[in-house]
């Protein structure tokens, strides 16, 4: 499902320190301005909490991948042993003990592949077009809140950001 | 908890924290007596079974005690501040060590019946010699006990002096008074010297732990089966023992927390971390179990495989083997899946107890077929009561210790940040 | 480092990604020449036959396998540092994790060549893949060699993914601080990372799961490699302790290689304030631990050989210590178990020359350990009639040289084109975020 590319319109507030940031996010959400993107140079549990976000659910995908790998790996080894039933090294055909190794490695492999893929998909990566609110300083040391809003909400957003100590306020695009 | 002020500001509050747990100790004492009586009775009817039960419990509880002190040492060596409040409980498990030495001395008369080479000698005769075995095991256990008690006393001394400086007195009085706080030079100096002493003792203890438990593994597990050997037996025994002691620590910490009202000091985050560590070592022990099994199974060399066949193909033991495999090694993996289980004391108590039971069965599985053959498991009331007896003895020692010392260290020389100089 | 601002962190670390100077190019060219020598030797071997590598009866596995185990071993401590120490919340890991992981990725790729090289008929490599075919055969998944294939390819994939996941924020930082083609290339690899809360939310969790999955992988991969030997029956190889023994040895050599690589790196890239001497001290303590484990394994294997009273076991262990392999054996014992004990002395483990010297010697010792274990057992197994001799051939040495140069070339390129310290993680460590100077 291809997303329609559209230019988001809103207010960008740039913060020197992350102190006012959580407050700004909470106030904006309280004022009904829910749609926003928060930029930070480091991962921050406070920002996630201020946004009311629970930890990422990608663990389920990882678990699914791992289980697929376990079943798949053991099945592969079992199928290989059973399809041409040659007794090698005097070992029984149906040998759980060595198959466990293959299953284990495939568990890790597919768990990690699922982990990576779900991070890319859920995290909104693989989209090289930068968000309107992005500023290169966010990868250095600045924090930012880009509030996606229009019309009268613009002034409301500006006021909240200013009150919480935003160093700069820009209207984007 | 503020490290500078003791948590219990007044003498009375301090005393209140030192619950005497009389009834717990009485029950433990009762168990111990029951176990001893059963053992004596069983010696008349079937001595091999009696010694088998004794040996399994000896292996289980010695490992548990030694591993407890190892955990404390590991925290010291890695400056693991997360575990500060459970360190005292781990040290408490170390009270089992001197008891292990005594229990080994009591086992000496039975060694002739347990060890196949004592009846029919086979080489290497220099090593497989009863006198030398006794000497090396007694020396090893004695060394381990001395080092363990030394680590404990270094930790207690700081607490004792700190308490004395704040006018709180331990109820132990008399000879321990004099021993523990002899030549107290003031907190700053004592902490520095404790840090130095523990910085030397803890690595030494860890090395001695590995070597002594290896010797026990060689003599009391490996040599039970004639002509069988495995280079992993020592490591398997001491890693499994550490896993056992972590599970015991988890259970003990939850117990102490609940009965002393220490929900703030032994926080759910401590339980979470301890649970994760236990599960991690469960996986490591499982890995060791698997690698020993795999190499022997794959090589298919007759002198080795008889060990596995007794435990994997003989019907009564086979079921036990599968049960042990599931409870010991698969259960931690399953328990790891849910985050919130690891933070709540209820599920973790169940988990810890299950692991302890499973590791006991694992020791039983290691030793059992070699001693009493594979036709029957022969587990009945005698084994259960003797186990209860050992548990009672160890519980009595542990709770006596924890009744007389602060369950959470007042001042930890290694893990607490240094007092800032003015 | 405590008083660094975020901007200073970026400047210090990303400031090293400058245009390569003439010295850099010369070193890269020399290393590439080494790789070329290896490639030419391999071509010669493919054209002439595997026998030019010195493999014959009874020693069918020579230096190629020694180097394979050597490089896989080195890879392991990178994952230990980045994954296991992350789970243990060891703060000292942050400054060295990126380089250590890079070392892992490069070491695994280097190691991955060797099964192909000593395969002989490398053009039928596809026989090892579980794909439907008309040969009426599936790969034998009961064989440790197949475990190896699955394990090494898993390890390579997971290491690359883990390393790359950690790199994403830093690649975005380079994209933002450069212009033109460089910015576009880094931007491509940054996969559109924007430091947004959405990116971070899933990244944090994915990173944790990578660490949690990589941890058992570390242990299992080198256990699988050890089972290449332990699942045989020859004395000296068939030993149940091999799995933990090899894992500990792998971490031992890997930690030594991390120290060896980081000492010049921090000097050249002026990262002394970030990669501090305290970190090296902690790594040195870990080296003591792994050295003791390896020493325990040596001692206990000797004890059990004697305890077993098996003439074959006693013979091989005597042969290793006193026979044709005596010199490598004693180098191995001294370098792996005795030298690291020097790190008990605080002055030594905080001294750069000592750290560098001991870490290099530990790697030499670990190389000889693999040499002694692998070759002595095969050369000297059950029947005296089957005993044989082996010495490395020029082709093997050429390929070995090529492999070393390949690893160091990759690492050399890494130091100039990829941030060698994790910028985002360092910033996380800083106690008080003072972000932009003069915003």
């Amino acid at each position: 499902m291809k997303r329609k590319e559209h230019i988001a319109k809103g207010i960008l507030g740039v913060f020197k320190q992350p102190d006012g940031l959580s407050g700004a996010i909470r106030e904006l959400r309280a004022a009904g301005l829910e749609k926003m993107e928060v930029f930070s140079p480091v991962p921050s549990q406070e920002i996630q909490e201020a946004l009311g976000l629970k930890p990422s659910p990608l663990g389920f995908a990882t678990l699914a991948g791992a289980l697929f790998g376990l079943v798949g790996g053991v099945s592969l080894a079992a199928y290989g042993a059973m399809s041409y039933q040659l007794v090698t090294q005097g070992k029984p055909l149906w040998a759980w003990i060595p198959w466990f190794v293959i299953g284990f490695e495939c568990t890790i492999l597919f768990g990690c592949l699922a982990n990576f893929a779900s991070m890319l998909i859920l995290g909104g990566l693989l989209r090289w077009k930068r968000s309107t609110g992005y500023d290169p300083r966010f990868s250095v040391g600045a924090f930012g809140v880009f509030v996606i809003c229009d019309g009268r909400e613009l002034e409301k957003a500006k006021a909240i950001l200013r009150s919480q100590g935003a160093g700069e306020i820009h209207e984007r695009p | 908890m503020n490290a500078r002020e003791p948590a219990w500001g007044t003498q009375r509050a301090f005393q209140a924290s030192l619950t005497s747990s009389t009834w717990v100790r009485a029950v433990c004492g009762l168990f111990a007596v029951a176990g001893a009586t059963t053992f004596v009775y069983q010696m008349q009817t079937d001595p091999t079974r009696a010694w088998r039960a004794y040996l399994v419990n000896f292996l289980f509880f010695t490992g548990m005690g030694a591993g407890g002190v190892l955990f404390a040492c590991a925290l010291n060596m890695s400056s693991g501040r997360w575990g500060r409040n459970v360190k005292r409980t781990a040290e408490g498990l170390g009270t089992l060590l001197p008891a292990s030495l005594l229990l080994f001395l009591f086992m000496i008369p039975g060694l002739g019946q347990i060890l196949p080479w004592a009846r029919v000698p086979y080489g290497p005769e220099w090593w497989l010699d009863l006198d030398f075995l006794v000497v090396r095991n007694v020396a090893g256990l004695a060394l381990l006990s001395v080092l363990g008690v030394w680590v404990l006393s270094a930790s207690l001394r700081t607490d004792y002096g700190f308490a004395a400086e704040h006018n709180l007195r331990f109820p132990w009085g008399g000879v321990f008074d004099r021993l523990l706080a002899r030549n107290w030079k003031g907190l700053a100096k004592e902490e520095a010297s404790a840090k130095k002493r523990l910085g030397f003792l803890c690595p030494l203890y860890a090395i001695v732990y590995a070597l002594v438990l290896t010797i026990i593994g060689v003599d009391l597990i490996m040599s039970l089966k004639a002509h069988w050997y495995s280079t992993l037996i020592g490591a398997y025994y001491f890693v499994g023992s550490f896993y056992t002691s972590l599970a015991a620590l988890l259970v003990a910490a939850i117990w102490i927390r609940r009965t002393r009202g220490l929900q703030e000091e032994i926080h759910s985050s401590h339980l979470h971390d301890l649970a994760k560590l236990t599960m991690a070592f469960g996986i490591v022990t499982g890995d060791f179990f698997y690698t020993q099994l795999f190499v022997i199974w794959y090589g298919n060399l007759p002198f080795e495989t008889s060990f596995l066949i007794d435990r994997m193909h003989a019907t009564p033991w086979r079921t036990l083997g599968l049960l042990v495999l599931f409870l010991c090694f698969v259960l931690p993996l399953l328990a790891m899946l849910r985050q919130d289980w690891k933070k709540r004391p209820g599920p973790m108590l169940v988990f810890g107890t299950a692991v302890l039971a499973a590791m006991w069965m694992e020791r039983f599985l290691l030793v059992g077929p070699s001693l009493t053959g594979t036709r029957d498991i022969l587990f009945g009331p005698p084994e259960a009561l003797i186990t209860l007896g050992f548990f009672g003895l160890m519980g009595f020692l542990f709770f006596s210790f924890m009744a007389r010392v602060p369950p959470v260290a007042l001042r930890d020389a290694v893990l607490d940040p240094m007092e800032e100089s003015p | 480092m405590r008083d660094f601002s975020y901007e200073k962190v970026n400047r210090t670390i990303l400031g090293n990604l400058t245009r390569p100077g003439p010295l850099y190019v010369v070193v890269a060219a020399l290393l590439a020449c080494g790789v070329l020598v290896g490639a030419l030797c391999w071509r010669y071997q493919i054209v002439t036959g595997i026998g030019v590598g010195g493999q014959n009866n009874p020693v069918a596995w020579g230096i190629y396998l020694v180097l394979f185990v050597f490089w896989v071993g080195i890879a392991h401590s990178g994952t230990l540092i980045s994954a296991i120490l992350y789970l243990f919340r060891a703060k000292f890991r942050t400054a060295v994790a990126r380089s250590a992981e890079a070392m892992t990725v490069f070491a695994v790729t280097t190691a991955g060549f060797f099964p192909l090289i000593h395969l002989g008929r490398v053009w039928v490599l596809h026989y090892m893949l579980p794909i439907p075919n008309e040969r009426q055969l599936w790969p034998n998944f009961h064989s440790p060699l197949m475990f190896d294939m699955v394990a090494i390819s898993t390890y390579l994939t997971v290491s690359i993914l883990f390393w790359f996941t950690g790199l994403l924020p830093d690649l975005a930082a380079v994209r933002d601080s450069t212009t033109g083609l460089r910015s576009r290339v880094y931007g491509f690899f940054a996969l559109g990372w924007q430091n947004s809360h959405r990116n971070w939310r899933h990244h944090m969790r994915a990173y944790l799961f990578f660490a949690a999955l990589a941890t058992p992988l570390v242990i299992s991969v080198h256990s699988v490699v050890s089972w290449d030997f332990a699942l045989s029956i020859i004395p000296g190889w068939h030993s149940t302790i091999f799995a933990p023994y090899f894992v500990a040895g792998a971490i031992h050599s890997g930690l030594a290689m991390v120290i060896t690589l980081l000492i010049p790196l921090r000097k050249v890239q002026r990262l002394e304030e970030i990669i501090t001497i305290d970190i090296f001290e902690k790594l040195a303590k870990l080296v003591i631990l792994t050295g003791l484990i390896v020493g325990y394994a040596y001692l206990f294997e000797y004890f059990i050989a004697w305890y077993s009273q098996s003439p074959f076991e006693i013979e091989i262990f005597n042969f290793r210590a006193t026979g044709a392999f005596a010199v490598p054996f004693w180098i191995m014992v001294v370098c792996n178990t005795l030298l690291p004990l020097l790190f008990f002395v605080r002055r030594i483990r905080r001294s750069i020359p000592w750290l560098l010297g001991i870490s290099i010697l530990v790697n030499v010792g670990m190389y000889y350990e693999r040499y002694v274990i692998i070759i002595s057992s095969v050369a000297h197994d059950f029947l005296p009639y089957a005993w044989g001799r082996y010495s490395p051939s020029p082709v093997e040495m050429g390929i070995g040289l090529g492999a070393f140069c390949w690893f160091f070339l990759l690492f050399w390129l890494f130091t100039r084109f990829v941030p060698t310290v994790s910028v985002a993680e360092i910033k996380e460590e800083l106690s008080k975020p003072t972000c932009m100077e003069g915003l």
Side-chain angles (χ1 to χ4, degrees):
Chain A
M1 186 174 83
K2 222 170 158 10
R3 281 234 194 126
K4 205 163 62 100
E5 296 278 13
H6 75 283
I7 313 287
K9 191 167 157 35
I11 302 289
L12 172 68
V14 181
F15 288 76
K16 250 197 294 193
Q17 309 273 357
D19 313 327
L21 194 62
S22 320
I25 297 172
R26 280 185 233 270
E27 272 208 32
L28 286 164
R29 289 182 69 212
L33 297 163
E34 294 272 355
K35 286 174 67 175
M36 66 179 99
E37 256 186 296
V38 182
F39 300 97
S40 57
V42 293
S44 165
Q45 195 58 32
E46 293 92 59
I47 293 177
Q48 302 287 339
E49 280 168 10
L51 286 163
L53 290 171
K54 287 205 283 279
S56 163
L58 62 74
F60 293 106
T62 313
L63 182 62
L67 286 173
F68 171 77
L70 180 64
V71 172
V74 176
S75 311
L76 176 68
Y79 183 69
M82 291 325 224
S83 59
Y84 298 103
Q85 297 189 4
L86 302 168
V87 174
T88 51
Q89 304 152 309
K91 302 289 179 294
L93 283 173
W94 198 265
W96 291 109
I97 297 175
W99 293 346
F100 172 71
V101 179
I102 307 285
F104 182 84
E105 302 296 341
C106 288
T107 310
I108 308 280
L109 177 64
F110 286 97
C112 285
L113 287 172
N115 196 36
F116 187 70
S118 55
M119 179 189 74
L120 294 182
I121 296 170
L122 291 174
L125 290 166
L126 297 175
R127 256 180 251 162
W128 281 268
K129 190 167 165 56
R130 229 69 56 68
S131 155
T132 336
Y134 190 71
D135 185 310
R137 289 172 297 176
F138 294 147
S139 61
V140 183
F143 295 75
V145 183
F146 179 60
V147 189
I148 299 168
C149 54
D150 214 344
R152 258 172 299 157
E153 292 180 327
L154 288 169
E155 286 310 313
K156 207 180 357 170
K158 278 190 198 169
I160 294 176
L161 289 170
R162 209 172 287 126
S163 73
Q164 289 291 332
E168 293 169 22
I169 296 182
H170 304 281
E171 193 171 320
R172 292 281 181 97
Chain B
M1 178 180 155
N2 191 338
R4 299 216 193 157
E5 297 298 323
W8 308 282
T10 63
Q11 176 72 7
R12 211 185 53 178
F14 175 71
Q15 290 282 60
S17 77
L18 302 174
T19 322
S20 64
S21 21
T22 332
W23 69 267
V24 172
R25 287 190 287 160
V27 168
C28 286
L30 217 66
F31 285 163
V33 169
T37 329
T38 318
F39 179 74
V40 169
Y41 175 72
Q42 185 68 8
M43 282 291 288
Q44 325 295 349
T45 48
D46 188 350
T48 314
R49 256 181 89 173
W51 284 120
R52 186 185 66 165
Y54 193 102
L55 179 64
V56 172
N57 283 298
F58 171 78
L59 291 171
F60 182 71
F61 285 101
T62 305
M64 190 195 285
V69 180
L70 183 68
F71 178 75
C73 289
L75 279 181
N76 286 333
M77 287 192 282
S78 62
S79 308
R81 297 218 166 84
W82 67 270
R84 181 206 184 277
N85 285 356
V86 294
K87 203 169 89 165
R88 182 54 51 75
T89 316
E91 288 166 353
L93 288 175
T95 51
L96 277 54
L97 276 175
S100 289
L101 176 61
L102 282 171
L103 288 168
F104 182 80
L105 291 171
F106 285 135
M107 192 163 64
I108 293 173
L111 288 175
Q113 275 193 300
I114 303 174
L115 300 167
W117 48 267
R119 301 190 287 274
V120 180
Y122 57 88
E125 279 167 20
W126 178 73
W127 181 264
L128 294 181
D129 168 57
L130 214 50
D131 297 325
F132 185 29
L133 182 145
V134 167
V135 163
R136 62 179 176 252
N137 280 282
V138 166
L141 285 169
L143 184 59
L144 208 60
S145 307
V146 163
L147 288 175
V149 168
W150 204 350
V151 168
L152 254 74
S153 66
S155 160
L156 284 175
R157 181 182 165 84
T158 322
D159 260 14
Y160 189 95
F162 183 81
E165 280 190 6
H166 289 80
N167 294 316
L168 302 166
R169 300 271 299 176
F170 282 64
W172 244 343
V175 67
F176 289 106
D177 247 2
R178 287 195 289 278
L179 276 180
L180 269 179
R182 207 165 30 143
N183 298 329
W184 179 257
K185 293 191 188 71
L187 191 64
K189 273 215 183 105
E190 286 288 340
E191 284 204 327
S193 76
K195 216 169 174 157
K196 236 173 88 183
R197 198 175 318 133
L198 285 170
F200 164 75
L201 272 180
C202 292
L204 183 63
Y205 179 86
I207 295 172
V208 171
Y209 170 89
L211 292 174
V212 170
L213 291 200
T214 299
I215 292 177
I216 294 178
V218 167
D219 287 332
L220 297 175
I221 301 178
M222 191 170 84
S223 72
L224 294 179
K225 185 154 180 71
H227 303 294
W228 183 76
Y229 60 87
S230 163
T231 39
L232 191 60
I233 198 69
Y236 181 58
Y237 179 56
F238 72 65
V239 165
S241 297
F242 191 55
Y243 177 42
T244 312
S245 59
L246 285 173
L249 180 60
L250 189 61
V251 170
I254 293 173
W255 178 273
I256 296 284
R257 177 182 195 263
R258 192 180 290 180
T259 53
R260 307 292 185 91
L262 290 171
Q263 277 80 0
E264 275 307 305
E265 283 80 5
I266 304 181
H267 195 246
S268 68
S269 64
H270 288 108
L271 296 181
H272 189 192
D273 285 336
L274 208 50
K276 281 193 287 191
L277 197 62
T278 310
M279 291 166 193
F281 269 92
I283 295 171
V284 173
T285 312
D287 173 58
F288 277 46
F289 175 90
Y290 178 77
T291 187
Q292 184 167 256
L293 185 149
F294 195 26
V295 171
I296 295 178
W297 179 86
Y298 206 94
N300 218 5
L301 297 171
F303 78 90
E304 279 184 324
T305 51
S306 51
F307 184 84
L308 283 190
I309 289 171
D310 287 346
R311 289 155 183 78
M312 278 170 66
H313 294 296
T315 324
W317 292 99
R318 179 186 167 79
T319 331
L320 182 65
L322 286 170
L323 186 66
V324 163
L325 186 70
F326 178 76
L327 281 178
C328 270
F329 310 122
V330 178
L331 190 69
L333 283 173
L334 295 177
M336 257 180 136
L337 288 176
R338 285 205 60 162
Q339 180 91 309
D340 52 318
W341 284 348
K342 287 180 262 184
K343 291 188 185 146
R344 282 168 29 211
M348 284 300 100
L349 192 61
V350 170
F351 170 68
T353 319
V355 169
L356 285 174
M359 283 308 288
W360 190 95
M361 288 193 277
E362 198 278 329
R363 298 290 176 236
F364 188 65
L365 185 69
L366 269 181
V367 166
S370 308
L371 284 178
T372 49
T374 55
R375 203 154 2 119
D376 277 306
I377 291 188
L378 293 177
F379 185 91
E383 278 75 20
L385 283 169
I386 294 175
T387 307
L388 206 61
F390 269 78
F391 174 72
L393 172 65
M394 301 305 188
F396 183 81
L397 290 169
F398 175 75
F399 286 112
S400 305
F401 177 78
M402 294 305 282
R404 308 300 188 104
V405 302
V408 171
L410 297 177
R411 177 88 188 148
D412 193 310
V414 179
L415 298 177
D416 283 340
M418 295 293 287
E419 309 245 338
E420 271 141 27
S421 45
Chain C
M1 192 187 83
R2 297 235 159 256
D3 55 353
F4 269 40
S5 69
Y6 283 7
E7 201 188 40
K8 187 166 182 199
V9 172
N10 272 53
R11 257 203 323 264
T12 316
I13 298 172
L14 300 182
N16 286 301
L17 303 181
T18 53
R19 194 170 220 86
L23 179 64
Y24 183 86
V25 176
V26 164
V27 173
L30 280 172
L31 290 171
C33 286
V35 175
L36 192 62
V37 166
L40 289 173
C41 288
W42 191 8
R43 183 194 174 279
Y44 174 64
Q45 182 182 287
I46 292 176
V47 164
T48 316
I50 190 73
V52 301
Q55 279 86 352
N56 211 330
N57 247 330
V59 183
W61 272 353
I63 295 294
Y64 296 146
L65 201 65
V66 172
L67 287 172
F68 168 69
V69 181
F70 180 74
W71 287 112
V72 176
I74 284 180
H76 277 67
S77 79
T79 318
L80 168 89
I81 291 174
S82 57
I84 299 179
L85 290 182
Y86 177 78
L87 293 178
F88 277 109
R89 298 195 290 254
K91 291 260 149 65
F92 73 92
R93 140 212 188 269
T94 317
V96 299
R98 173 64 49 72
S99 306
E101 282 171 59
M103 182 190 80
T104 292
V105 171
F106 303 145
V108 179
T109 52
T110 313
F113 279 119
F114 285 100
L116 309 182
I117 292 171
H118 81 174
L119 206 53
R121 291 189 303 161
V122 64
W123 54 93
V124 291
L125 174 65
H126 59 275
Y127 283 8
M128 292 217 280
L129 298 174
I131 45 179
N133 58 72
E134 79 287 354
R135 296 187 306 276
Q136 305 204 334
L137 270 184
W138 284 96
N140 176 19
F141 281 110
H142 294 188
S143 163
L145 306 180
M146 282 312 297
F147 303 156
D148 244 359
M149 244 204 63
V150 178
I152 300 294
S153 41
T154 303
Y155 194 37
L156 182 63
T157 313
V158 171
S159 307
I160 291 178
L161 289 177
F162 190 20
W163 183 60
F164 187 64
T165 304
L167 256 181
L168 281 172
D170 294 358
L171 291 175
V174 183
R175 169 197 69 197
D176 292 338
S177 64
T178 53
T179 51
L181 180 65
R182 284 181 68 127
S183 180
R184 280 212 298 277
V185 170
Y186 281 99
F188 173 75
F189 284 109
L191 304 183
W193 180 268
Q194 300 191 73
N195 294 89
S196 76
H197 70 270
R198 186 179 170 193
N199 292 155
W200 282 120
R201 179 180 176 216
H202 301 287
H203 183 269
M204 291 191 321
R205 203 90 176 132
Y207 197 83
L208 176 67
F209 285 133
F210 267 120
L213 286 170
T215 302
L217 186 64
V218 167
I219 300 176
S220 68
V221 168
H222 220 70
S223 300
V224 165
V225 170
S226 79
W227 289 331
D228 282 344
F229 314 111
L231 297 185
S232 72
I233 56 171
I234 57 178
W237 273 13
H238 185 75
S239 169
T240 41
I241 204 176
F242 259 37
Y245 166 31
F246 267 52
V247 172
I251 297 174
H252 194 48
S253 69
L255 286 170
M257 185 59 98
V258 167
I259 296 176
T260 309
L261 288 174
L262 282 179
I263 287 176
L265 180 81
R266 84 194 264 271
K267 187 74 194 279
V268 168
Q269 296 203 333
R270 287 181 289 269
L271 295 171
E272 287 95 337
E273 283 175 85
I274 297 181
I275 305 177
T276 60
I277 202 79
D278 295 322
I279 295 176
F280 284 117
E281 187 179 0
K282 297 212 162 73
L283 290 176
K285 286 187 188 173
L286 284 176
V287 169
I288 299 177
L289 174 64
T290 49
L292 284 172
I293 298 175
V294 167
Y296 168 89
Y298 293 162
L299 277 172
F300 200 54
E301 280 210 306
Y302 264 87
F303 170 74
I304 291 289
W306 170 76
Y307 176 93
S308 72
Q309 301 271 289
S310 154
F312 310 114
E313 296 281 335
I314 294 176
E315 171 59 30
I316 185 63
F317 282 96
N318 263 340
F319 176 68
R320 281 182 186 174
T322 59
F325 285 84
V327 169
F329 177 82
W330 289 106
I331 294 178
M332 158 185 124
V333 169
V334 168
C335 291
N336 293 340
T337 53
L338 297 178
L339 279 185
L341 295 179
L342 288 173
F343 282 146
F344 270 122
V345 178
R346 190 167 185 272
R347 199 173 49 89
I348 290 183
R349 63 177 184 256
R350 291 184 71 90
S351 145
I352 294 287
W354 276 104
L355 282 165
L356 190 61
I358 294 181
S359 64
I360 291 177
L361 287 173
V362 164
N363 264 322
V364 168
M366 285 309 297
Y367 169 83
Y368 276 117
E369 181 195 285
R370 275 59 173 262
Y371 183 83
V372 166
I373 292 176
I374 293 173
I375 295 174
S376 73
S377 289
V378 191
H380 207 83
D381 63 17
F382 293 100
L383 294 177
Y385 183 75
W387 292 350
R389 259 185 289 181
Y390 166 84
S391 58
S393 69
V395 171
E396 282 181 310
M397 296 203 269
I399 292 181
L401 173 73
F404 267 87
C405 291
W406 168 259
F407 173 78
F408 284 110
L409 177 64
L410 286 176
F411 200 81
W412 187 249
L413 294 172
F414 159 76
T415 57
R416 194 56 74 103
F417 291 103
V418 178
T420 50
V421 180
S422 172
V423 172
E425 286 181 23
I426 291 282
K427 286 179 190 165
E428 262 188 287
E429 289 291 307
L430 293 174
S431 45
K432 191 165 62 84
T434 49
C435 331
M436 297 291 290
E437 295 152 356
L439 175 64

